[in-house]
Coordinates of all heavy atoms in Angstrom, one line a residue:
M1 N 190.7 -139.8 -15.1 CA 192.0 -139.5 -15.7 C 191.8 -138.7 -17.0 O 191.0 -139.1 -17.8 CB 192.8 -140.8 -15.9 CG 194.3 -140.6 -16.0 SD 195.1 -142.1 -16.4 CE 196.2 -141.6 -17.6
S2 N 192.6 -137.7 -17.2 CA 192.4 -136.9 -18.4 C 193.2 -137.5 -19.5 O 194.1 -138.2 -19.4 CB 192.8 -135.4 -18.1 OG 194.1 -135.4 -17.5
K3 N 192.7 -137.1 -20.7 CA 193.3 -137.6 -21.9 C 194.7 -137.1 -22.1 O 195.1 -136.0 -21.7 CB 192.4 -137.0 -23.0 CG 192.8 -137.5 -24.4 CD 191.9 -136.8 -25.5 CE 192.4 -137.1 -26.8 NZ 191.6 -136.6 -27.9
K4 N 195.5 -138.0 -22.7 CA 196.9 -137.6 -23.0 C 197.1 -137.2 -24.5 O 196.5 -137.8 -25.4 CB 197.8 -138.8 -22.7 CG 197.9 -139.2 -21.3 CD 199.0 -138.4 -20.6 CE 199.1 -138.9 -19.1 NZ 200.2 -138.2 -18.4
Y5 N 197.8 -136.2 -24.7 CA 198.1 -135.7 -26.1 C 199.5 -136.1 -26.5 O 200.4 -136.0 -25.7 CB 197.9 -134.2 -26.2 CG 196.4 -133.8 -26.0 CD1 195.9 -133.6 -24.7 CD2 195.6 -133.6 -27.1 CE1 194.6 -133.3 -24.6 CE2 194.3 -133.3 -27.0 CZ 193.8 -133.1 -25.7 OH 192.5 -132.8 -25.5
K6 N 199.6 -136.4 -27.7 CA 200.9 -136.8 -28.2 C 201.6 -135.6 -28.8 O 201.1 -134.9 -29.7 CB 200.8 -137.9 -29.3 CG 202.0 -138.4 -29.8 CD 201.7 -139.5 -30.8 CE 202.9 -139.8 -31.7 NZ 202.5 -140.6 -32.9
L7 N 202.8 -135.3 -28.3 CA 203.6 -134.1 -28.8 C 204.8 -134.6 -29.5 O 205.6 -135.4 -28.9 CB 204.0 -133.2 -27.7 CG 202.9 -132.3 -27.1 CD1 202.0 -133.0 -26.1 CD2 203.4 -131.0 -26.5
V8 N 205.0 -134.2 -30.7 CA 206.2 -134.6 -31.4 C 207.1 -133.5 -31.6 O 206.8 -132.4 -32.2 CB 205.8 -135.2 -32.8 CG1 207.1 -135.7 -33.6 CG2 204.8 -136.4 -32.7
N9 N 208.4 -133.6 -31.1 CA 209.4 -132.5 -31.2 C 210.5 -133.0 -32.1 O 211.2 -133.9 -31.8 CB 210.0 -132.3 -29.8 CG 209.0 -132.2 -28.7 OD1 207.8 -132.1 -28.9 ND2 209.5 -132.3 -27.5
A10 N 210.6 -132.3 -33.2 CA 211.6 -132.7 -34.2 C 212.7 -131.5 -34.1 O 212.4 -130.4 -34.5 CB 211.1 -132.9 -35.6
C11 N 213.9 -131.9 -33.8 CA 215.0 -130.9 -33.7 C 215.5 -130.5 -35.1 O 215.8 -131.3 -35.9 CB 216.1 -131.5 -32.9 SG 217.5 -130.3 -32.8
P12 N 215.4 -129.1 -35.3 CA 215.9 -128.7 -36.6 C 217.4 -128.8 -36.8 O 217.9 -128.7 -37.9 CB 215.4 -127.2 -36.7 CG 215.3 -126.8 -35.3 CD 215.0 -128.0 -34.5
Q13 N 218.1 -128.9 -35.7 CA 219.6 -128.9 -35.8 C 220.2 -130.3 -36.0 O 220.9 -130.5 -36.9 CB 220.2 -128.3 -34.5 CG 221.7 -128.1 -34.6 CD 222.2 -127.2 -33.5 OE1 221.8 -126.0 -33.5 NE2 223.0 -127.7 -32.6
C14 N 219.8 -131.3 -35.2 CA 220.3 -132.6 -35.4 C 219.3 -133.6 -36.0 O 219.7 -134.7 -36.4 CB 220.9 -133.1 -34.1 SG 219.6 -133.5 -32.9
G15 N 218.1 -133.2 -36.1 CA 217.1 -134.0 -36.8 C 216.5 -135.1 -36.0 O 215.7 -135.9 -36.5
C16 N 216.9 -135.2 -34.7 CA 216.3 -136.3 -33.9 C 214.9 -135.8 -33.5 O 214.6 -134.6 -33.4 CB 217.1 -136.5 -32.7 SG 217.1 -135.2 -31.4
S17 N 214.1 -136.8 -33.2 CA 212.7 -136.4 -32.7 C 212.4 -137.2 -31.4 O 212.8 -138.3 -31.2 CB 211.7 -136.7 -33.8 OG 211.7 -138.0 -34.1
A18 N 211.6 -136.5 -30.6 CA 211.2 -137.1 -29.4 C 209.7 -137.0 -29.3 O 209.1 -136.0 -29.7 CB 211.8 -136.3 -28.2
V19 N 209.1 -138.0 -28.7 CA 207.6 -138.0 -28.6 C 207.3 -138.0 -27.1 O 207.9 -138.8 -26.3 CB 207.0 -139.2 -29.2 CG1 205.5 -139.3 -29.0 CG2 207.3 -139.2 -30.7
S20 N 206.4 -137.1 -26.7 CA 206.0 -137.1 -25.3 C 204.5 -137.1 -25.2 O 203.8 -136.7 -26.1 CB 206.6 -136.0 -24.5 OG 206.6 -134.8 -25.2
H21 N 204.0 -137.7 -24.1 CA 202.6 -137.8 -23.9 C 202.2 -136.9 -22.7 O 202.6 -137.3 -21.6 CB 202.1 -139.2 -23.8 CG 202.3 -140.0 -25.0 ND1 203.4 -140.7 -25.3 CD2 201.4 -140.2 -26.1 CE1 203.2 -141.3 -26.5 NE2 202.1 -141.0 -27.0
L22 N 201.4 -135.9 -22.9 CA 201.1 -135.0 -21.8 C 199.6 -134.8 -21.7 O 198.9 -134.8 -22.7 CB 201.8 -133.6 -22.1 CG 203.3 -133.6 -22.2 CD1 203.7 -132.1 -22.5 CD2 204.0 -134.0 -20.9
S23 N 199.2 -134.6 -20.5 CA 197.8 -134.2 -20.2 C 197.6 -132.8 -20.5 O 198.6 -132.0 -20.5 CB 197.4 -134.6 -18.8 OG 198.1 -133.7 -17.9
P24 N 196.4 -132.3 -20.7 CA 196.1 -130.9 -20.9 C 196.7 -130.0 -19.8 O 197.2 -128.9 -20.0 CB 194.6 -130.8 -20.9 CG 194.1 -132.1 -21.3 CD 195.1 -133.1 -20.7
E25 N 196.7 -130.5 -18.5 CA 197.2 -129.7 -17.4 C 198.7 -129.6 -17.6 O 199.3 -128.5 -17.3 CB 196.9 -130.4 -16.1 CG 195.5 -130.5 -15.7 CD 194.6 -131.5 -16.5 OE1 195.2 -132.5 -16.9 OE2 193.4 -131.2 -16.6
E26 N 199.4 -130.6 -18.0 CA 200.8 -130.6 -18.2 C 201.2 -129.7 -19.3 O 202.2 -128.9 -19.3 CB 201.4 -132.0 -18.4 CG 201.4 -132.8 -17.2 CD 201.7 -134.3 -17.4 OE1 201.2 -134.8 -18.5 OE2 202.4 -134.9 -16.7
I27 N 200.4 -129.7 -20.4 CA 200.7 -128.8 -21.5 C 200.6 -127.4 -21.2 O 201.4 -126.6 -21.5 CB 199.7 -129.2 -22.7 CG1 200.0 -130.6 -23.3 CG2 199.9 -128.2 -23.9 CD1 199.1 -131.1 -24.3
K28 N 199.5 -127.0 -20.4 CA 199.3 -125.7 -20.0 C 200.4 -125.2 -19.1 O 200.8 -124.1 -19.2 CB 197.9 -125.5 -19.3 CG 196.8 -125.4 -20.3 CD 195.5 -125.1 -19.6 CE 194.3 -125.7 -20.3 NZ 193.1 -125.9 -19.5
K29 N 200.8 -126.1 -18.2 CA 201.8 -125.7 -17.2 C 203.1 -125.5 -17.9 O 203.9 -124.5 -17.6 CB 201.9 -126.9 -16.2 CG 202.5 -126.4 -14.9 CD 202.5 -127.6 -13.9 CE 203.7 -127.5 -12.9 NZ 204.0 -128.8 -12.3
R30 N 203.4 -126.3 -18.9 CA 204.7 -126.2 -19.5 C 204.8 -125.1 -20.6 O 205.8 -124.4 -20.7 CB 205.0 -127.6 -20.2 CG 206.5 -127.9 -20.1 CD 206.9 -128.9 -21.0 NE 206.9 -130.3 -20.5 CZ 207.5 -131.3 -21.0 NH1 208.2 -131.2 -22.1 NH2 207.4 -132.5 -20.4
F31 N 203.7 -125.0 -21.3 CA 203.8 -124.1 -22.5 C 202.8 -122.9 -22.4 O 203.0 -121.9 -23.1 CB 203.4 -124.8 -23.8 CG 204.3 -126.0 -24.0 CD1 203.8 -127.3 -24.1 CD2 205.7 -125.9 -24.2 CE1 204.5 -128.4 -24.3 CE2 206.5 -127.0 -24.5 CZ 205.9 -128.3 -24.5
G32 N 201.8 -123.0 -21.5 CA 200.8 -121.9 -21.5 C 199.9 -122.1 -22.7 O 200.1 -123.0 -23.5
E33 N 199.1 -121.1 -22.9 CA 198.2 -121.2 -24.1 C 198.7 -120.3 -25.2 O 198.1 -119.3 -25.6 CB 196.7 -120.8 -23.7 CG 196.3 -121.7 -22.6 CD 194.8 -122.2 -22.8 OE1 194.4 -122.1 -23.9 OE2 194.2 -122.7 -21.8
V34 N 199.9 -120.6 -25.7 CA 200.5 -119.7 -26.7 C 200.6 -120.5 -28.0 O 200.7 -121.7 -28.0 CB 201.9 -119.3 -26.3 CG1 201.8 -118.3 -25.1 CG2 202.8 -120.4 -25.9
P35 N 200.6 -119.8 -29.1 CA 200.7 -120.5 -30.4 C 202.1 -121.1 -30.7 O 202.2 -122.1 -31.4 CB 200.3 -119.5 -31.5 CG 200.5 -118.1 -30.8 CD 200.3 -118.4 -29.3
N36 N 203.1 -120.5 -30.1 CA 204.5 -121.0 -30.2 C 205.0 -121.6 -29.0 O 204.8 -121.0 -27.9 CB 205.4 -119.9 -30.7 CG 205.2 -119.4 -32.1 OD1 205.1 -120.2 -33.0 ND2 204.9 -118.1 -32.2
V37 N 205.6 -122.8 -29.1 CA 206.1 -123.4 -27.9 C 207.7 -123.4 -28.0 O 208.2 -123.5 -29.1 CB 205.6 -124.9 -27.7 CG1 204.1 -124.8 -27.5 CG2 205.9 -125.7 -29.0
E38 N 208.3 -123.3 -26.8 CA 209.8 -123.4 -26.8 C 210.2 -124.8 -26.4 O 209.7 -125.3 -25.4 CB 210.3 -122.4 -25.7 CG 210.2 -121.0 -26.2 CD 211.4 -120.2 -25.7 OE1 212.5 -120.7 -25.6 OE2 211.2 -119.0 -25.5
L39 N 211.1 -125.4 -27.2 CA 211.5 -126.7 -26.9 C 213.0 -126.8 -26.8 O 213.7 -126.0 -27.3 CB 211.0 -127.6 -28.0 CG 209.5 -127.7 -28.3 CD1 209.2 -128.2 -29.6 CD2 208.8 -128.5 -27.2
E40 N 213.5 -127.8 -26.1 CA 214.9 -128.0 -26.0 C 215.2 -129.5 -26.4 O 214.6 -130.4 -25.9 CB 215.4 -127.8 -24.6 CG 216.9 -127.8 -24.5 CD 217.4 -127.4 -23.1 OE1 216.8 -126.7 -22.4 OE2 218.5 -127.9 -22.8
C41 N 216.2 -129.6 -27.3 CA 216.5 -131.0 -27.8 C 217.3 -131.8 -26.8 O 218.2 -131.2 -26.2 CB 217.4 -130.8 -29.1 SG 217.9 -132.4 -29.7
G42 N 216.9 -133.0 -26.6 CA 217.5 -133.8 -25.6 C 218.9 -134.4 -26.1 O 219.7 -134.8 -25.3
E43 N 219.1 -134.3 -27.3 CA 220.4 -134.8 -27.9 C 221.4 -133.7 -28.0 O 222.5 -133.9 -27.5 CB 220.1 -135.4 -29.3 CG 219.3 -136.6 -29.4 CD 220.0 -137.8 -28.8 OE1 221.2 -138.0 -29.0 OE2 219.4 -138.6 -28.0
C44 N 221.1 -132.6 -28.6 CA 222.2 -131.6 -28.9 C 221.9 -130.3 -28.0 O 222.7 -129.4 -28.2 CB 222.3 -131.3 -30.3 SG 220.8 -130.4 -31.0
Q45 N 220.9 -130.3 -27.2 CA 220.6 -129.2 -26.3 C 220.2 -127.9 -27.1 O 220.2 -126.8 -26.5 CB 221.7 -128.9 -25.3 CG 221.6 -129.7 -24.0 CD 221.9 -131.1 -24.2 OE1 223.0 -131.4 -24.7 NE2 221.1 -132.1 -23.8
A46 N 219.9 -128.0 -28.3 CA 219.5 -126.8 -29.1 C 218.1 -126.4 -28.6 O 217.3 -127.2 -28.3 CB 219.5 -127.1 -30.6
K47 N 218.0 -125.0 -28.5 CA 216.6 -124.5 -28.1 C 216.0 -124.0 -29.4 O 216.6 -123.3 -30.2 CB 216.8 -123.4 -27.1 CG 217.2 -123.9 -25.7 CD 216.9 -122.9 -24.7 CE 217.1 -123.5 -23.3 NZ 218.4 -123.4 -22.8
Y48 N 214.8 -124.3 -29.6 CA 214.1 -123.8 -30.8 C 212.6 -123.6 -30.5 O 212.1 -124.1 -29.5 CB 214.3 -124.8 -31.9 CG 213.9 -126.3 -31.6 CD1 212.7 -126.8 -32.0 CD2 214.8 -127.1 -30.9 CE1 212.3 -128.1 -31.7 CE2 214.4 -128.4 -30.6 CZ 213.2 -128.9 -31.0 OH 212.8 -130.2 -30.7
Q49 N 212.0 -122.9 -31.4 CA 210.5 -122.7 -31.2 C 209.8 -123.4 -32.4 O 210.2 -123.4 -33.5 CB 210.3 -121.2 -31.4 CG 210.6 -120.4 -30.1 CD 209.9 -119.1 -30.0 OE1 209.2 -118.6 -30.9 NE2 209.9 -118.5 -28.8
K50 N 208.6 -123.8 -32.0 CA 207.8 -124.5 -33.0 C 206.3 -124.0 -32.8 O 206.0 -123.6 -31.7 CB 207.8 -126.0 -32.8 CG 209.0 -126.6 -33.3 CD 208.7 -127.5 -34.5 CE 210.0 -128.0 -35.1 NZ 209.8 -128.9 -36.2
K51 N 205.6 -124.1 -33.8 CA 204.1 -123.8 -33.7 C 203.5 -125.0 -33.0 O 203.8 -126.1 -33.3 CB 203.5 -123.6 -35.0 CG 203.9 -122.2 -35.6 CD 203.1 -122.0 -36.9 CE 203.5 -120.7 -37.6 NZ 203.5 -120.8 -39.0
M52 N 202.5 -124.6 -32.1 CA 201.8 -125.7 -31.4 C 201.1 -126.6 -32.4 O 201.0 -127.8 -32.2 CB 200.8 -125.1 -30.4 CG 200.0 -126.1 -29.6 SD 201.1 -127.4 -28.8 CE 201.2 -126.7 -27.1
E53 N 200.7 -126.1 -33.5 CA 200.0 -126.9 -34.5 C 200.9 -127.9 -35.1 O 200.4 -129.0 -35.6 CB 199.3 -126.1 -35.6 CG 200.2 -125.2 -36.4 CD 199.5 -124.2 -37.3 OE1 198.5 -123.6 -36.9 OE2 199.9 -124.1 -38.5
E54 N 202.2 -127.7 -35.1 CA 203.1 -128.7 -35.7 C 203.5 -129.7 -34.6 O 203.7 -130.9 -34.9 CB 204.5 -128.0 -36.1 CG 204.4 -127.1 -37.3 CD 205.7 -126.4 -37.6 OE1 206.6 -127.1 -38.1 OE2 205.9 -125.3 -37.2
V55 N 203.6 -129.2 -33.4 CA 204.0 -130.1 -32.3 C 202.9 -131.1 -31.9 O 203.1 -132.3 -31.7 CB 204.5 -129.3 -31.1 CG1 204.9 -130.2 -29.9 CG2 205.7 -128.4 -31.5
C56 N 201.7 -130.5 -31.8 CA 200.5 -131.3 -31.4 C 199.3 -130.7 -32.0 O 198.6 -129.9 -31.4 CB 200.4 -131.3 -29.9 SG 199.2 -132.4 -29.3
P57 N 199.0 -131.2 -33.3 CA 197.8 -130.6 -34.0 C 196.5 -130.9 -33.2 O 195.6 -130.0 -33.2 CB 197.8 -131.5 -35.3 CG 199.2 -132.0 -35.4 CD 199.7 -132.2 -34.1
E58 N 196.5 -132.0 -32.5 CA 195.2 -132.4 -31.8 C 194.9 -131.4 -30.7 O 193.8 -130.9 -30.5 CB 195.4 -133.8 -31.3 CG 194.1 -134.4 -30.8 CD 194.3 -135.7 -30.2 OE1 195.4 -136.1 -29.9 OE2 193.3 -136.4 -30.0
W59 N 196.0 -131.1 -29.9 CA 195.9 -130.1 -28.8 C 195.5 -128.7 -29.4 O 194.7 -128.0 -28.8 CB 197.1 -130.1 -28.0 CG 197.2 -128.9 -27.1 CD1 197.9 -127.8 -27.2 CD2 196.4 -128.7 -25.8 NE1 197.7 -126.9 -26.1 CE2 196.7 -127.5 -25.3 CE3 195.5 -129.6 -25.2 CZ2 196.2 -127.0 -24.1 CZ3 194.9 -129.1 -24.0 CH2 195.3 -127.8 -23.5
D60 N 196.2 -128.3 -30.4 CA 196.0 -127.0 -31.0 C 194.5 -126.9 -31.4 O 193.9 -125.8 -31.2 CB 196.9 -126.9 -32.3 CG 196.9 -125.5 -32.8 OD1 197.3 -124.6 -32.0 OD2 196.5 -125.3 -33.9
K61 N 193.9 -127.9 -32.0 CA 192.6 -127.9 -32.4 C 191.6 -127.7 -31.2 O 190.7 -126.9 -31.2 CB 192.2 -129.2 -33.2 CG 191.1 -129.0 -34.1 CD 191.0 -130.3 -35.0 CE 190.3 -131.4 -34.3 NZ 190.4 -132.7 -35.0
E62 N 191.8 -128.5 -30.2 CA 190.9 -128.5 -29.0 C 191.1 -127.2 -28.2 O 190.2 -126.7 -27.7 CB 191.2 -129.7 -28.1 CG 190.8 -131.0 -28.8 CD 190.5 -132.1 -27.8 OE1 190.3 -131.8 -26.6 OE2 190.4 -133.2 -28.3
C63 N 192.3 -126.7 -28.2 CA 192.6 -125.4 -27.6 C 191.8 -124.3 -28.2 O 191.3 -123.5 -27.5 CB 194.1 -125.2 -27.7 SG 194.8 -123.8 -26.7
K64 N 191.7 -124.3 -29.5 CA 191.0 -123.3 -30.2 C 189.5 -123.4 -30.1 O 188.8 -122.5 -30.0 CB 191.4 -123.3 -31.7 CG 192.7 -122.6 -32.0 CD 193.1 -122.6 -33.4 CE 194.5 -122.0 -33.5 NZ 195.2 -122.6 -34.6
M65 N 189.1 -124.7 -30.0 CA 187.6 -124.9 -29.8 C 187.1 -124.4 -28.5 O 185.9 -124.1 -28.4 CB 187.4 -126.4 -29.9 CG 187.2 -126.9 -31.4 SD 187.4 -128.7 -31.7 CE 186.5 -129.4 -30.4
R66 N 188.0 -124.4 -27.5 CA 187.6 -124.0 -26.2 C 187.4 -122.4 -26.1 O 186.8 -122.0 -25.1 CB 188.6 -124.5 -25.2 CG 187.9 -125.4 -24.1 CD 188.9 -125.9 -23.1 NE 189.5 -127.1 -23.6 CZ 190.7 -127.4 -23.5 NH1 191.6 -126.6 -23.1 NH2 191.2 -128.6 -23.9
Q67 N 188.0 -121.7 -26.9 CA 187.9 -120.2 -26.8 C 186.6 -119.7 -27.2 O 185.9 -120.2 -28.0 CB 189.0 -119.6 -27.7 CG 190.4 -119.8 -27.1 CD 191.5 -119.4 -28.1 OE1 191.2 -118.9 -29.2 NE2 192.7 -119.5 -27.7
Ligands
ZN1 ZN1 219.0 -131.8 -31.6

């Protein structure tokens, strides 16, 4: 079983935050290998962009190490 990464999404509009745990496969499938990720708030449905290093510093680091 592959390692799970903790992603923290904090909505800039309503301030709520959501935590999800995703495997590397799920992260790649959902976001691709891009520095900016698109997120949607579960509370107010606002769409916003964040840097991967803010959402999941651990993944960002390992992602760079693999290049
Ligand atoms: Zn929100």
Side-chain angles (χ1 to χ4, degrees):
M1 202 183 133
S2 51
K3 187 182 168 177
K4 294 270 184 178
Y5 291 84
K6 185 178 158 194
L7 284 83
V8 181
N9 317 344
C11 176
Q13 188 161 295
C14 69
C16 73
S17 61
V19 176
S20 40
H21 293 89
L22 300 175
S23 68
E25 291 75 27
E26 288 169 320
I27 294 175
K28 279 186 209 161
K29 203 175 149 199
R30 217 199 265 197
F31 304 117
E33 303 226 17
V34 291
N36 289 306
V37 296
E38 286 215 32
L39 301 162
E40 188 176 333
C41 176
E43 291 292 319
C44 70
Q45 271 76 52
K47 290 199 169 82
Y48 54 97
Q49 285 205 344
K50 286 245 170 179
K51 286 184 181 148
M52 182 52 97
E53 61 187 43
E54 291 178 77
V55 178
C56 186
E58 195 184 10
W59 167 254
D60 190 58
K61 205 170 81 191
E62 293 204 14
C63 190
K64 280 180 187 145
M65 273 159 49
R66 238 180 270 136
Q67 284 169 3

